[in-house]
Amino acid sequence: SQCEKLLAMQKELKTRNFVLERKISDLSTTTGASDPMSAAHIQNLEHQVKQKDEELAGLYKQQATNAQKMLSLSEKAQADAKLLEKKDMEIRTLQTASENGDERVMDAMRVKTTLEGENAVLKQEIESLRKNIEEAHKKIQALAKENQVLVERILKMKNQQADQMNQMNEMYEKALKLAQENATEAMNNEKYGGLPDKTGIIDKIAWQRNFDVQLPVRNSKAFVGHKGQASALAFDRRGRTLASCGTDSVVRVYDVKTTTLSDTLSGHTAAVLDIEFSDDDKMLMGAGNDARAIIWSNETKRQLLTLTGHTSKICACAFSLDSTKAFTGSHDRTLRIWDITTGGCRKKVQCGSAVNYLSVCAGGNIVGTAHLDASVRLWSTRDGQEVASWTDIHTRQATSVEFSNDGIYAVTNSRDNTLRLIDIRTYNSIKVFKDPNGKYRNSHNWNNACFSPDGKYVVAGSSNSELFFWDVKTGKLAKRLRSEDERVTGQTGNTTCVRWSPNGQNVVSCDNLGFVMFWTP
């Protein structure tokens, strides 16, 4: 290398310099100063020595420079060695990573193989599910066809039943017409009141159509029946007896013919909110704010049963048509079915909302309930299962639901100041009853509306103790009545209940001032 060459030249120059110095020394010793040739030769040699010294100095400088370069090269070599070592480590790391990567690739290949196997299984399962879905679609299509056939058969059967019902109605109409033609003018209310009570729908129609139902025109009598509010009214099945209840915790019984008080029944410890006679007129039931229902004997006026179990006030009560069961509706959001023989609760039905009112359909198989959440529901009287419900016919709480005597229609009342007519055969709301002048005001949470015995009219009580009558066929307001009794008109009373007597001769109402009012044609 260049460094080695420089060292060799330096060594050679040192040797030559040493030789020249020896020669100079020898010459100085052997020759005198007077020899000009020798002096010149010595000067020449000194000049050469000087040149050689200069060359040697230059070489030394060159050597120092080279040494510096060698040092730099050495440092660079060391740095390169370290870098090389680092690169070797990185290479070893990469080799290790590569080996690990190979293992990962192998693992990934194994996972891929496993997933491919699972995917193949899933494909088989998907294919199997697809076939099952296709089979299910085929079954659904077959069931749809069968359902269509069944629907057609049911419609055909319903049409046949409707035709049979029309034929029966025609037969009954002919029989009734013949009975009316043969009736004498001497027939009076006492005679009609003695007719046997019927529970069949057609028999009820036949019995009640013998009466000439007319709209009342005046408030013929008004008296204070209760201290505080009079809550509800009920007629017995012949229309001879009227019962009322109120916030004074008692039930009062009146003779309808004389409008005089005949009995006062006690037992409740708080306001009595509803009252009802059994269909055989042997019992009378009251429902109260004390969360109890009490059943009295209508003959002896003694307590027979006390029904307990509700956790809030009972707003409504009714009997089954065979008088073996009782129904109560409460603000604890339940409807209860009771066994009158034992006094035990047969069924507790969760209604989803507080019950304001209930009544039993003329056929005896359905009980209707009106609720705080503005809904109206129908339930089976046999097992308490929900039959139908309406949640959008009213915008404020429903205060009552009553059925027509033929069992075909139901009328509901609400705090939204409208009444709705529902066809029980189709469960459709078919008419809305309201006052075109906006004067009808339902201001009580269990204020009811009811049908006339012949089903031609609907009556409901309003504020100021007024009554409003609507024609069921046309849906129009037929009459609006207000009492002329100064005791009533001098105060602002709100109707709480209205009842049409079974013989069609009286409409009776009560209000929150305690008045009981008879309205007559």
Side-chain angles (χ1 to χ4, degrees), residues 368-382:
T369 54
H371 296 272
L372 186 68
D373 65 358
S375 64
V376 176
R377 296 179 173 88
L378 301 184
W379 314 86
S380 168
T381 57
R382 181 177 62 86

Side-chain angles (χ1 to χ4, degrees), residues 118 124 148 178 215 233 288 325 373 386 411 471 474:
E118 293 178 354
Q124 293 176 357
Q148 183 64 30
L178 181 63
L215 289 177
L233 302 165
K325 292 183 287 187
D373 65 358
E386 185 174 314
V411 63
D471 188 298
T474 65

Side-chain angles (χ1 to χ4, degrees), residues 439-492:
K439 299 297 184 181
Y440 175 70
R441 290 287 183 271
N442 182 353
S443 54
H444 203 73
N445 291 347
W446 53 86
N447 180 29
N448 72 313
C450 67
F451 288 93
S452 60
D454 58 4
K456 293 180 180 180
Y457 300 100
V458 165
V459 59
S462 178
S463 58
N464 296 322
S465 302
E466 291 182 298
L467 299 185
F468 286 72
F469 297 83
W470 286 272
D471 188 298
V472 171
K473 185 176 181 179
T474 65
K476 295 181 178 180
L477 183 65
K479 182 168 289 189
R480 174 185 174 189
L481 290 180
R482 186 174 184 181
S483 175
E484 296 178 358
D485 192 312
E486 292 182 356
R487 294 174 303 161
V488 176
T489 58
Q491 304 180 68
T492 304

Side-chain angles (χ1 to χ4, degrees), residues 476-517:
K476 295 181 178 180
L477 183 65
K479 182 168 289 189
R480 174 185 174 189
L481 290 180
R482 186 174 184 181
S483 175
E484 296 178 358
D485 192 312
E486 292 182 356
R487 294 174 303 161
V488 176
T489 58
Q491 304 180 68
T492 304
N494 297 317
T495 304
T496 55
C497 183
V498 60
R499 296 291 179 191
W500 212 310
S501 66
N503 57 20
Q505 294 181 346
N506 294 296
V507 173
V508 182
S509 65
C510 61
D511 63 21
N512 64 333
L513 301 177
F515 281 100
V516 176
M517 289 167 279

Side-chain angles (χ1 to χ4, degrees), residues 269-439:
T269 58
V272 186
L273 304 179
D274 196 18
I275 190 75
E276 187 68 30
F277 283 93
S278 62
D279 212 61
D280 57 8
D281 285 338
K282 292 181 179 181
M283 293 174 287
L284 183 63
M285 177 167 51
N289 211 16
D290 55 5
R292 297 188 302 159
I294 297 177
I295 298 177
W296 294 271
S297 167
N298 192 28
E299 181 179 358
T300 65
K301 303 302 186 290
R302 297 180 62 182
Q303 287 189 29
L304 301 177
L305 284 173
T306 298
L307 307 178
T308 59
H310 284 290
T311 59
S312 186
K313 63 183 179 182
I314 305 175
C315 293
C317 61
F319 288 95
S320 62
L321 292 190
D322 60 5
S323 301
T324 63
K325 292 183 287 187
F327 307 94
T328 57
S330 168
H331 267 219
D332 64 8
R333 302 182 180 182
T334 65
L335 166 70
R336 289 181 182 252
I337 304 175
W338 306 86
D339 188 322
I340 293 180
T341 303
T342 64
C345 180
R346 287 187 178 183
K347 187 76 174 180
K348 176 183 176 181
V349 181
Q350 296 292 339
C351 299
S353 178
V355 181
N356 285 334
Y357 197 90
L358 67 81
S359 61
V360 178
C361 184
N365 59 333
I366 292 174
V367 57
T369 54
H371 296 272
L372 186 68
D373 65 358
S375 64
V376 176
R377 296 179 173 88
L378 301 184
W379 314 86
S380 168
T381 57
R382 181 177 62 86
D383 55 13
Q385 294 297 313
E386 185 174 314
V387 176
S389 65
W390 298 267
T391 59
D392 56 357
I393 59 175
H394 291 296
T395 58
R396 296 184 63 189
Q397 59 179 302
T399 62
S400 75
V401 54
E402 290 274 8
F403 297 94
S404 59
N405 285 321
D406 57 10
I408 295 176
Y409 300 108
V411 63
T412 66
N413 200 0
S414 170
R415 291 299 296 270
D416 64 9
N417 303 319
T418 66
L419 290 73
R420 297 275 184 158
L421 183 68
I422 297 173
D423 191 325
I424 300 300
R425 297 167 297 185
T426 62
Y427 299 135
N428 290 327
S429 175
I430 57 176
K431 279 189 177 70
V432 179
F433 301 126
K434 57 184 179 180
D435 179 15
N437 297 318
K439 299 297 184 181

Side-chain angles (χ1 to χ4, degrees), residues 66-281:
N66 291 335
Q68 185 67 34
K69 289 182 178 180
M70 287 178 66
L71 182 59
S72 299
L73 290 172
S74 177
E75 291 176 352
K76 183 177 181 182
Q78 290 178 359
D80 290 341
K82 291 182 180 178
L83 181 61
L84 182 59
E85 184 179 358
K86 183 178 180 182
K87 294 296 182 183
D88 288 338
M89 291 179 65
E90 290 179 355
I91 289 170
R92 287 194 295 272
T93 302
L94 290 173
Q95 287 176 345
T96 303
S98 177
E99 292 174 356
N100 294 335
D102 291 339
E103 292 179 0
R104 290 183 181 178
V105 169
M106 294 300 295
D107 292 340
M109 292 298 292
R110 287 192 292 270
V111 171
K112 178 183 177 184
T113 303
T114 303
L115 290 176
E116 286 176 348
E118 293 178 354
N119 187 42
V121 173
L122 288 174
K123 285 182 178 178
Q124 293 176 357
E125 291 180 355
I126 290 170
E127 181 64 22
S128 176
L129 288 173
R130 186 185 63 78
K131 291 180 180 179
N132 291 338
I133 290 171
E134 289 179 354
E135 293 178 0
H137 279 306
K138 291 179 181 179
K139 290 181 180 180
I140 290 171
Q141 291 175 355
L143 289 173
K145 291 181 181 179
E146 292 179 3
N147 185 54
Q148 183 64 30
V149 172
L150 289 173
V151 169
E152 292 176 355
R153 288 174 60 187
I154 291 171
L155 291 175
K156 185 177 180 180
M157 291 174 62
K158 284 188 175 182
N159 290 332
Q160 292 175 351
Q161 291 175 353
D163 292 339
Q164 292 175 358
M165 183 60 71
N166 290 334
Q167 292 176 2
M168 291 177 63
N169 286 337
E170 290 178 2
M171 292 173 62
Y172 275 105
E173 288 291 341
K174 290 179 181 178
L176 291 175
K177 185 176 181 181
L178 181 63
Q180 290 173 352
E181 290 175 354
N182 294 331
T184 62
E185 295 182 358
M187 184 178 295
N188 51 38
N189 295 332
E190 187 68 25
K191 186 176 180 180
Y192 282 125
L195 289 176
D197 185 30
K198 302 294 182 180
T199 57
I201 295 176
I202 302 300
D203 290 333
K204 278 195 173 185
I205 300 171
W207 182 70
Q208 287 164 339
R209 283 184 178 173
N210 282 285
F211 296 98
D212 183 19
V213 176
Q214 297 180 1
L215 289 177
V217 296
R218 63 190 180 93
N219 175 205
S220 58
K221 187 167 185 177
F223 57 88
V224 176
H226 293 273
K227 296 177 182 179
Q229 173 179 284
S231 302
L233 302 165
F235 279 103
D236 68 358
R237 293 301 176 262
R238 297 183 180 183
R240 293 178 174 180
T241 304
L242 175 73
S244 68
C245 60
T247 55
D248 54 6
S249 307
V250 298
V251 174
R252 301 192 189 279
V253 183
Y254 306 92
D255 181 279
V256 173
K257 186 175 182 179
T258 62
T259 65
T260 56
L261 179 67
S262 59
D263 286 287
T264 299
L265 309 180
S266 60
H268 281 284
T269 58
V272 186
L273 304 179
D274 196 18
I275 190 75
E276 187 68 30
F277 283 93
S278 62
D279 212 61
D280 57 8
D281 285 338

